[in-house]
Amino acid sequence: DKNCTGTAIIGGADRAVYTLGSTQNISINGITFKSTKTGLTKSLSVCFQTVTNLNINECQFVDFGNGSYYAQGFILYGGSNISLTNNVFDNCSGDGAAFSDGTTNFEFRGNVCSNNGDWGFAVSNNCSKGTIADNLFISNTSTATGADESTNLVFSGNVSYACEHGVRVARFGSTSDPQQCITITDNVINGCQFGVSLEDMGAAAYYTVVGNTITFATQQGIRITNSENGTIVGNQITSTTNNLGFRKNNQKL
C-alpha cells in the first residue's frame, strides 16, 4: 500500500512492516519486500524495534523511497541477537539497511547492498558487539558501510565498489557517546573516494586497520583524523588519484 494506511509511526515516518515492544524469536526467510518509486505520499520502510532473536535470511528489500521521501529498506531500532544474512538491499532512497539505538550482539553477513541513495549499511547510536562481514557494496551514493557513536565492531572481508567511502567511522553529532574498539580488516575497496576513513573518534579510539586492499581511491586510501591509539599495518594502497595514499592528522598512533 503506497499510502501506508496503518497508524504505527516512529521517527516521523510510517512503516510498511512494524514491530513494537518486547518482540522475540522471529525468523523471516525468502520474502521480497518491494515498494514503489511512484505515487508515494509518505516515507515507507520495513522497521523493527526492540527485538530479541531476529533472523532475516535470503530476503530482498527493493525500491523504498524516492526523491521526495527518504527511506531505508530495513531499519532496526534496538535489539539483541540479530542476524541478517544473504539478503539484498537495492535502490532505496536512504540507507539500504541501518541498525540504531543500542542494537547489540549482531551480524550482518553475506548481503548485497547496491544503488542506495545513502549508506549501504549503517550502524549508529550506541550499537555494540557487531560483525559486518563478507558483504558486497556496489554504487551506494554515500558510504558502503561504517558506524557512528558505536563500539566493539568488526568490519571484515567486505567488498566495496564505487561508493563515496568504503568503510567510514565518524561522529556526526556533538555527543560524548563512545566511538571505539573498531577493527577493519581484509576488506577490498575499489573506486571509492576514500577507502577507509576514521574521523573524530577521540583519545580512546583503539582501532585496528589491517590487511585491507584499496585501489583507485580519488582521495586518500586511508584517512585518520582526531583518532588516537590505533594500529595500521599490512594494507595495500595503489592507484590513488590524490598524491597522499595515507593521511593522518593530530594522532597518537
Side-chain angles (χ1 to χ4, degrees):
D1 178 1
K2 65 189 177 186
N3 298 310
C4 197
T5 54
T7 58
I9 297 176
I10 182 171
D14 292 274
R15 306 299 176 182
V17 177
Y18 182 76
T19 66
L20 179 64
S22 299
T23 309
Q24 60 184 337
N25 303 328
I26 298 175
S27 182
I28 302 174
N29 297 278
I31 295 177
T32 295
F33 299 89
K34 182 176 174 61
S35 185
T36 177
K37 294 293 182 183
T38 60
L40 289 176
T41 61
K42 56 188 70 175
S43 177
L44 308 181
S45 292
V46 176
C47 175
F48 281 33
Q49 183 178 21
T50 318
V51 179
T52 301
N53 300 328
L54 171 66
N55 182 358
I56 299 178
N57 181 57
E58 295 186 353
C59 292
Q60 297 186 57
F61 300 81
V62 183
D63 293 342
F64 284 85
N66 59 21
S68 298
Y69 297 100
Y70 182 100
Q72 293 98 342
F74 176 86
I75 186 165
L76 175 65
Y77 289 96
S80 61
N81 301 330
I82 308 298
S83 177
L84 268 64
T85 55
N86 305 315
N87 303 288
V88 173
F89 304 88
D90 180 68
N91 199 32
C92 301
S93 65
D95 308 319
F99 290 179
S100 187
D101 291 8
T103 299
T104 188
N105 296 324
F106 65 87
E107 69 168 350
F108 187 85
R109 185 184 299 272
N111 302 287
V112 177
C113 301
S114 56
N115 305 305
N116 297 296
D118 205 349
W119 293 44
F121 175 59
V123 179
S124 67
N125 192 9
N126 289 314
C127 294
S128 64
K129 301 177 184 176
T131 298
I132 300 92
D134 304 324
N135 302 287
L136 176 61
F137 299 97
I138 304 173
S139 298
N140 299 286
T141 300
S142 183
T143 298
T145 188
D148 167 32
E149 302 167 34
S150 296
T151 62
N152 295 293
L153 302 179
V154 176
F155 298 87
S156 176
N158 301 290
V159 177
S160 303
Y161 293 107
C163 303
E164 184 180 55
H165 293 76
V167 180
R168 186 181 190 187
V169 179
R171 189 179 296 278
F172 294 103
S174 179
T175 174
S176 60
D177 293 334
Q179 175 96 315
Q180 60 186 179
C181 301
I182 306 292
T183 298
I184 301 170
T185 180
D186 297 325
N187 299 282
V188 176
I189 301 168
N190 187 293
C192 297
Q193 185 175 347
F194 299 94
V196 173
S197 186
L198 304 177
E199 308 162 38
D200 300 318
M201 294 178 66
Y206 303 110
Y207 57 87
T208 302
V209 182
V210 175
N212 300 284
T213 301
I214 302 165
T215 55
F216 296 106
T218 58
Q219 292 293 324
Q220 288 83 45
I222 298 176
R223 178 177 65 170
I224 313 292
T225 60
N226 301 314
S227 303
E228 298 182 8
N229 297 298
T231 299
I232 303 171
V233 63
N235 301 283
Q236 180 176 328
I237 305 171
T238 57
S239 301
T240 57
T241 302
N242 191 300
N243 61 1
L244 293 172
F246 170 66
R247 176 182 175 183
K248 63 183 179 68
N249 291 336
N250 304 321
Q251 312 311 315
K252 294 179 181 178
L253 299 178

